[in-house]
Amino acid sequence: ENLPSLYGSSRARPEVVICGDSAGGMYAAGVCVSLEMQRKAAPPGSVLPPRPLLQVPIYPCVDAFGSYPSRDRLASGWLLSKKLMHLGLSHWIGRGSTATVEAMKHDPRLSVGKAPASILKTVAPALLMTAEFDPLHDEGVEFCESLTSAGNEAHHTEARGMLHGFLGFMGFAPAARREAYRIFDALRRPSIRLIQ
């Protein structure tokens, strides 16, 4: 309801980049998907929610209930463990009924990688970074592929030799700082086709 006062008209596009790492990466992608779902459901003539210019999820969880080779291969000993992911998910969804949990498995705001192609096609373009030794690696790659398959612009880059959460190591690990600056430098450029 405040959009007209903030942006003037439904055609105005805020110059916003939404970025986050780990759960923040999930939130960044989730907010973009949620906004796009609202846009699609809006009655004709209504003021539409804004669409960010770019989403930058960094080692995000984009399929809360998924099963991926990297989750099994890196299940323990790599900072983020399968056990810790299950604990986090249980806190996130609470102790709902089986029906509630089943419904949540199909909610694209929780598992943005499972959003319909019609949403993925028009959601904000993505610059997505995964960490090589992260249980969430494979779902990040798949999410990027789903975006491009749907006809959107998305670019994936992998932080070689990095663990989940490496942005938190920038202050004392030069390799983590280098990987982080690849993203920061990319955000200064006009196109997301950028990281080598």
Side-chain angles (χ1 to χ4, degrees):
E1 63 200 44
N2 293 325
L3 287 175
S5 64
L6 295 172
Y7 303 115
S9 76
S10 62
R11 291 182 183 83
R13 188 170 184 192
E15 293 188 4
V16 173
V17 173
I18 185 165
C19 179
D21 76 313
S22 192
M26 178 186 77
Y27 295 143
V31 164
C32 291
V33 164
S34 184
L35 288 170
E36 202 58 32
M37 290 169 67
Q38 291 174 40
R39 291 173 67 84
K40 298 270 191 220
S46 61
V47 176
L48 300 176
R51 180 182 293 132
L53 291 176
L54 181 68
Q55 58 175 305
V56 187
I58 303 170
Y59 42 79
C61 173
V62 291
D63 187 358
F65 299 93
S67 177
Y68 295 87
S70 61
R71 284 191 181 190
D72 294 329
R73 188 176 65 253
L74 303 166
S76 63
W78 298 96
L79 193 61
L80 179 64
S81 67
K82 203 172 192 178
K83 183 177 180 181
L84 188 58
M85 287 189 292
H86 285 263
L87 178 65
L89 182 60
S90 69
H91 286 292
W92 178 260
I93 64 174
R95 296 181 182 208
S97 67
T98 303
T100 302
V101 171
E102 282 303 311
M104 290 178 120
K105 286 183 180 181
H106 305 288
D107 187 335
R109 293 167 299 181
L110 184 59
S111 292
V112 295
K114 301 302 180 189
S118 61
I119 297 292
L120 295 179
K121 180 178 183 174
T122 55
V123 75
L127 170 58
L128 188 142
M129 180 176 262
T130 57
E132 181 178 10
F133 298 110
D134 182 0
L136 303 178
H137 177 276
D138 294 351
E139 66 197 80
V141 172
E142 184 178 279
F143 179 54
C144 206
E145 291 169 352
S146 296
L147 287 165
T148 56
S149 293
N152 203 332
E153 186 175 3
H155 180 82
H156 166 252
T157 189
E158 180 178 294
R160 298 250 178 225
M162 293 292 111
L163 306 170
H164 183 89
F166 73 83
L167 285 184
F169 309 151
M170 286 176 48
F172 58 86
R177 191 167 33 258
R178 274 192 303 276
E179 291 298 333
Y181 275 94
R182 289 174 61 215
I183 286 284
F184 303 155
D185 289 343
L187 292 173
R188 294 187 187 114
R189 299 178 192 173
S191 171
I192 66 168
R193 295 184 203 105
L194 35 71
I195 302 183
Q196 302 304 323

